[in-house]
Amino acid sequence: MAAGSVSSDVAEPAAAAGRSWFVLAALTFVYILNFLDRQLIGILAKPIQDSLGVTDGELGLIGGLYFAMFYCFIAIPVGWFADRTNRVNVLALACAIWSGATTACGLAGSYSQLVVARMAVGFGEAGGVPPSYAIITDTYPPGRRAAALGIFNLGPAIGAAIGVAFGATIAARFDWRMPFIVIGIIGIVTALLVWLFIREPERGALDPVQTGDGAGKAAFWPTVRMFLTHPVLMLAALGSGATQFVTYGLGNFAVLFLMREKGMVLGDVAVWYALVLLLGMGGGMVLSGRVIDRMTRKSRTGYAMAPAISLAIAMPFNIAFVWAPSWPLALMLLAVVMVFNYFYLSASVALVQDEVKPNQRVLSGALLLLVMNFIGLGLGPTWVGQASDWFKAHGDPHGLQSALYTLTPFYLIAIALFLWLARLLRRETAISRMPA
């Protein structure tokens, strides 16, 4: 009898661990599709420009502001709804919507049709990441969350790498439309599988302290007010936004820049740029999760110091990447940039998820994405595209290169914001340790 009890006790944690890994793997795959869909415009920028007559400025708007207007603001009601209902169902429906819209991008016959389709992609993708953050947080306990979120945040690296390899290869063999259509169909099938096989976890069940106020339905406006007036949350969001201004501004134009200024062709892009994204960005995501977990066991300031230090390392390599006279050297420098550019993501997500009540996690994650993505995704590519057109109109034959140089001050802004956040976290920790 006792032996049976021991066997049962051992089997249950093993089964729970297996379910946790299955959930994490499934959500990461959805995130890969989410980011892959989003990156196809940047990856296929040159053939799209050649086909539809799109300027750099128009390309920046379609990959930035037009997309972000839906992606950022729709995330708020989606987050509120997901906090009050089944988050897995919300995620599955969102995946189906953005995947159908991605297919529509491949059928667009004009710039205006492509704009509408991209806005629809943004509408769907608004329901992708915030529910996933909350599901992972309620699947993994504190102390393992940042590492789990770091694995989840491999989605952008893998999605971008697959997008480059798949998109560039298929576009070179057929045309730029086929990758949108194929990826859209895969996403619709994935949405159905998520709906069928992922179970909704209990909210707050793995949190160390159960306060009794995190299981009910959180009110919308009080949660929004809490986030917008919470200095820690807002500094994390603003620091992440300044960082994303750089990462999205660079990412949406990197392939076009390498082809136009450095002499790469789609065949080179499909192999070497994809490899840099996978190893650089992917390595950074895995490394950041482990570093942040280790730093935050000693002090909560690790949530801020890790991204501040990593961005200080990345900045000179980013400048050198833009300057590099050949694409092989540029890619080597870009690999270093990719490793250190993305520490902010796991740090800010883990901090926000730990800072709020369990029933506020999806909406708070959506608010984090609203602030950082509107600044970074909405304005970063728009800035670079418009700056490129401006430099070109004023006689600069390397307008896109000059535009990418203008991203450098935003590194400094992001570092300053994260250092400010570290100071605030250090002060809060000191106050919490003071005797009552």
Side-chain angles (χ1 to χ4, degrees):
M1 187 76 173
S5 298
V6 172
S7 177
S8 176
D9 290 343
V10 172
E12 180 61 29
R19 286 195 299 270
S20 299
W21 278 107
F22 174 74
V23 169
L24 181 59
L27 296 185
T28 301
F29 183 72
V30 173
Y31 198 13
I32 288 170
L33 292 177
N34 179 298
F35 207 82
L36 200 165
D37 292 345
R38 196 184 314 171
Q39 292 297 297
L40 284 178
I41 289 290
I43 294 164
L44 302 173
K46 193 173 189 305
I48 290 173
Q49 283 188 325
D50 294 342
S51 174
L52 301 181
V54 179
T55 68
D56 286 357
E58 289 173 332
L59 193 67
L61 284 169
I62 200 172
L65 188 61
Y66 293 157
F67 178 90
M69 283 191 301
F70 280 81
Y71 180 73
C72 295
F73 290 101
I74 296 298
I76 303 306
V78 168
W80 172 81
F81 180 71
D83 268 328
R84 303 168 71 85
T85 186
N86 188 297
R87 295 166 293 186
V88 174
N89 290 347
V90 171
L91 175 62
L93 178 61
C95 183
I97 292 172
W98 87 59
S99 299
T102 298
T103 301
C105 290
L107 303 175
S110 66
Y111 177 71
S112 60
Q113 291 176 4
L114 189 58
V115 167
V116 173
R118 292 307 291 172
M119 287 181 171
V121 172
F123 178 87
E125 289 190 4
V129 179
S132 297
Y133 284 158
I135 293 168
I136 292 169
T137 301
D138 285 331
T139 302
Y140 286 86
R144 295 176 60 200
R145 283 175 182 165
L149 288 166
I151 293 172
F152 174 73
N153 285 327
L154 282 171
I158 299 172
I162 293 175
V164 170
F166 176 81
T169 300
I170 297 301
R173 185 165 183 175
F174 298 98
D175 62 23
W176 64 268
R177 300 178 184 277
M178 189 58 66
F180 287 98
I181 295 171
V182 174
I183 294 301
I185 293 171
I186 293 173
I188 293 171
V189 174
T190 300
L192 178 61
L193 296 177
V194 167
W195 180 67
L196 289 174
F197 293 109
I198 302 295
R199 291 189 295 177
E200 173 78 354
E202 182 182 350
R203 286 173 167 84
L206 299 179
D207 290 345
V209 178
Q210 298 297 315
T211 62
D213 59 357
K217 297 178 179 179
F220 179 79
W221 287 114
T223 302
V224 173
R225 192 178 306 112
M226 176 278 299
F227 189 97
L228 296 179
T229 58
H230 197 305
V232 167
L233 301 181
M234 282 304 297
L235 278 174
L238 291 172
S240 299
T243 306
Q244 283 198 344
F245 195 99
V246 175
T247 60
Y248 277 115
L250 172 63
N252 276 42
F253 284 92
V255 172
L256 182 61
F257 174 68
L258 287 166
M259 294 180 70
R260 182 187 294 174
E261 298 287 344
K262 308 300 182 183
M264 291 189 80
V265 297
L266 279 175
D268 297 327
V269 171
V271 177
W272 299 110
Y273 184 68
L275 190 62
V276 165
L277 284 175
L278 183 62
L279 297 180
M281 192 189 301
M285 292 296 185
V286 173
L287 178 64
S288 67
R290 297 185 179 278
V291 168
I292 292 160
D293 271 341
R294 178 169 295 184
M295 291 179 69
T296 53
R297 289 189 191 110
K298 299 178 181 179
S299 170
R300 294 181 76 232
T301 58
Y303 286 123
M305 290 305 301
I309 294 170
S310 68
L311 291 172
I313 296 171
M315 181 173 63
F317 285 94
N318 189 69
I319 296 171
F321 158 73
V322 180
W323 161 84
S326 65
W327 69 259
L329 177 59
L331 284 183
M332 286 189 287
L333 294 165
L334 184 61
V336 180
V337 175
M338 290 291 182
V339 169
F340 292 102
N341 257 4
Y342 291 92
F343 273 55
Y344 78 95
L345 190 55
S346 295
S348 295
V349 170
L351 174 60
V352 169
Q353 295 292 301
D354 285 346
E355 192 79 9
V356 303
K357 300 174 184 176
N359 63 344
Q360 297 176 321
R361 281 175 174 155
V362 181
L363 181 54
S364 296
L367 289 163
L368 170 67
L369 292 176
L370 167 64
V371 176
M372 70 181 189
N373 281 329
F374 186 77
I375 295 171
L377 175 59
L379 302 181
T382 304
W383 170 278
V384 173
Q386 297 296 323
S388 176
D389 283 354
W390 187 89
F391 283 118
K392 183 178 179 181
H394 287 75
D396 186 347
H398 306 285
L400 184 54
Q401 183 176 38
S402 299
L404 291 176
Y405 277 127
T406 67
L407 293 173
T408 303
F410 293 93
Y411 268 112
L412 300 175
I413 293 171
I415 292 168
L417 288 168
F418 281 119
L419 290 176
W420 187 2
L421 175 60
R423 181 180 179 185
L424 186 58
L425 291 172
R426 190 177 298 111
R427 184 186 306 164
E428 285 191 353
T429 300
I431 292 173
S432 68
R433 291 176 178 173
M434 293 176 62

